[in-house]
Amino acid sequence: MDISQLNKAQLVEEAYDFAWNNNRSIEVCYAMAVAAARELGGVEVANSNDGNSSKGFAPTLTFVFDDSTSVYIMYSGVYVVG
């Protein structure tokens, strides 16, 4: 895969998948995706822990990027929105 052709949301998905395909734990996969989103300048616009009395250790996060793409990062995977 030529990552130079991917948008920022797809790069976050690729970070998760790369870790998964290299036998990393799901915790590492999640952390890699979150780190990639932040490194790519993503703005966190939603967090499932916000206003939730039972806060999870790996909340679902939504990031929006300056290339008009966005991504949901969940413990179980990454989903490109646009």
Side-chain angles (χ1 to χ4, degrees):
M1 174 178 292
D2 182 6
I3 64 169
S4 69
Q5 302 298 315
L6 300 178
N7 63 44
K8 290 182 178 182
Q10 290 169 326
L11 288 170
V12 173
E13 181 181 44
E14 182 65 21
Y16 187 102
D17 292 347
F18 178 82
W20 181 256
N21 291 331
N22 283 283
N23 300 315
R24 301 296 184 237
S25 69
I26 200 163
E27 292 88 358
V28 170
C29 297
Y30 177 85
M32 295 280 290
V34 172
R38 291 184 174 140
E39 186 174 309
L40 291 165
V43 176
E44 184 180 316
V45 296
N47 181 324
S48 64
N49 277 349
D50 290 347
N52 188 347
S53 62
S54 59
K55 300 196 182 301
F57 72 96
T60 298
L61 304 172
T62 304
F63 285 89
V64 175
F65 300 97
D66 61 2
D67 64 355
S68 300
T69 61
S70 56
V71 67
Y72 297 130
I73 301 173
M74 297 182 236
Y75 194 63
S76 59
V78 172
Y79 301 92
V80 174
V81 179

